């Protein structure tokens, strides 16, 4: 069981051994101390409003997205290569996001299901994005990743797990990913469960269309070549990675004890090794990502 379904936020304080979720799936009192809300992607974010001030819950968002008074002349919904995307400024990226919301087939809660799938998609991936105060990365990520994923013909949903800015507790990437996993699995269809987990930092944008966001038999580290610089070290498993839900549970998820920068990804790959899961880095040509 994933941390025995228990996420001990702090080892020596009153958060120890507190449940993250109540039996009905709602965040517990302890979890609410740690993060403001679980944010389902993000065709529901009010652009220009700080994410923590937006009215966002795990339920359907009833608000609307404000219009932009921008000159709009070209179809920007279709996927464009990463370097072309990055050549545009933030205003263009916001406008692109607006058009995605209005024109694409993204369903409530950020779910996309290709028409070609009919009633069932063979590939069903949930992308977990741990998040805290990265507004400069948020809109570029959403503007780029939706068309990128839609070209792959997979059913997907992106879940942002947002840590509150009102707490003095340092960022805990591992705990947020565990929360997102429990949340996604608790709400996964019994008949069509998610069959792939993608752990994804918000500041990573994949370049190669051959970097397919589905799962293999073994976990895959999907950003093996950030900014063309290769791997920082051979056992690096940070940034973006894919893993099957059963494997994620078998290794007991990510550690919850790392607050601040780093450590949880190294611990996670050691858990994979202890279980005998022979994870691998994706080819560096395919694994190039912009950060």
């Amino acid at each position: 069981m994933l941390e025995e379904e228990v996420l001990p936020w702090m080892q020596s304080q009153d958060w120890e051994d507190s449940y993250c979720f109540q039996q009905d799936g709602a965040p517990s009192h302890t979890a609410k101390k740690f993060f403001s809300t679980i944010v389902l992607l993000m065709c529901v974010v009010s652009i220009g409003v700080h994410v923590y001030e937006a009215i966002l819950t795990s339920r359907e968002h009833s608000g609307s997205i404000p219009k932009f008074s921008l000159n709009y002349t070209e179809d920007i919904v279709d996927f464009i290569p990463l370097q072309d995307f990055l050549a545009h400024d933030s205003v263009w990226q916001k406008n692109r996001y607006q058009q995605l919301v209005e024109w694409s087939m993204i369903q409530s809660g950020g779910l996309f299901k290709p028409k070609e799938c009919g009633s069932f998609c063979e590939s069903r991936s949930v992308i977990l994005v741990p998040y805290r105060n990265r507004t400069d990365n948020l809109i570029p990520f959403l503007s780029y990743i939706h068309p990128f994923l839609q070209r792959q013909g997979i059913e997907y949903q992106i879940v942002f797990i947002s840590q509150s800015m009102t707490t003095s507790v340092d960022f805990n990437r591992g705990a947020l990913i565990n929360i997102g996993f429990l949340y996604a699995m608790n709400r996964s269809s019994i008949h069509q469960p998610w069959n792939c987990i993608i752990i994804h930092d918000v500041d990573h944008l994949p370049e190669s269309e051959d970097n397919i966001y589905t799962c293999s038999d073994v976990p895959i580290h999907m950003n093996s070549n950030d900014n063309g610089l290769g791997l920082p070290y051979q056992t690096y498993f940070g940034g973006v990675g894919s893993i099957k839900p059963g494997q994620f549970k078998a290794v007991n998820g990510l550690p919850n004890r790392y607050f601040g920068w780093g450590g949880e990804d190294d611990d996670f790959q050691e858990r994979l090794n202890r279980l005998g899961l022979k994870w691998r880095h994706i080819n560096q040509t395919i694994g190039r990502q912009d950060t």
Side-chain angles (χ1 to χ4, degrees), residues 22-249:
Q22 300 169 356
Q23 290 185 352
D24 63 358
S28 69
H29 176 69
T30 297
K32 288 178 181 178
K33 287 182 180 179
F34 185 64
F35 62 99
S36 59
T37 182
I38 292 179
V39 182
L40 286 186
L41 173 84
M42 288 259 99
C43 53
V44 297
V45 171
S46 297
I47 298 173
V49 178
H50 194 285
V51 65
Y52 299 107
E53 296 174 357
I55 304 173
L56 296 171
T57 69
S58 60
R59 297 172 178 83
E60 183 174 351
H61 179 57
S62 59
S64 61
I65 297 178
K67 301 289 185 180
F68 284 97
S69 56
L70 299 175
N71 293 325
Y72 173 77
T73 56
E74 63 175 305
D75 183 352
I76 58 173
V77 173
D78 290 339
F79 174 76
I80 63 173
L82 179 59
Q83 295 309 314
D84 293 341
F85 175 85
L86 294 175
H88 292 280
D89 62 18
S90 61
V91 174
W92 183 92
Q93 292 171 1
K94 288 181 180 179
N95 192 35
R96 174 179 171 84
Y97 174 72
Q98 177 68 45
Q99 300 302 325
L100 285 171
V101 171
E102 293 178 352
W103 295 351
S104 76
M105 297 174 59
I106 303 171
Q107 300 175 26
S108 176
L111 176 68
F112 177 81
K113 187 173 184 177
K115 287 183 178 180
E116 296 76 14
C117 285
S119 60
F120 179 79
C121 278
E122 181 177 348
S123 298
R124 306 187 70 246
S125 298
V126 59
I127 294 91
L128 305 180
V129 185
Y131 182 86
R132 189 186 197 186
N133 194 32
R134 300 294 294 271
T135 53
D136 290 344
N137 298 117
L138 181 62
I139 294 301
F141 176 80
L142 295 173
S143 300
Y144 180 79
I145 202 70
H146 271 300
F148 178 87
L149 293 173
Q150 289 171 15
R151 282 172 66 89
Q152 298 187 0
I154 63 174
E155 181 176 354
Y156 70 85
Q157 187 170 26
I158 305 179
V159 178
F160 277 72
I161 314 93
S162 166
Q163 182 174 335
S164 174
M165 286 295 294
T166 62
T167 176
S168 61
V169 177
D170 289 338
F171 187 68
N172 191 319
R173 181 176 179 268
L176 292 174
I177 292 168
N178 288 340
I179 291 169
F181 175 82
L182 292 175
Y183 177 86
M185 293 301 105
N186 286 343
R187 285 158 179 77
S188 180
S189 168
I190 296 175
H191 302 291
Q192 298 187 34
W194 299 114
N195 55 26
C196 185
I197 303 295
I198 307 290
I199 300 168
H200 209 302
D201 287 354
V202 72
D203 61 352
H204 279 65
L205 299 177
E207 180 173 316
S208 173
E209 293 185 71
D210 293 327
N211 200 343
I212 306 300
Y213 276 49
T214 57
C215 279
S216 300
D217 290 337
V218 297
I220 302 295
H221 179 235
M222 302 175 71
N223 60 302
S224 57
N225 191 12
D226 287 347
N227 301 318
L229 299 176
L231 292 166
Y233 48 93
Q234 192 57 40
T235 57
Y236 178 63
F237 201 90
V240 186
S242 65
I243 185 171
K244 291 183 175 181
Q247 295 169 339
F248 191 89
K249 292 201 73 170

Side-chain angles (χ1 to χ4, degrees), residues 242-260:
S242 65
I243 185 171
K244 291 183 175 181
Q247 295 169 339
F248 191 89
K249 292 201 73 170
V251 300
N252 208 19
L254 274 77
N256 299 310
R257 64 179 180 272
Y258 292 93
F259 292 84

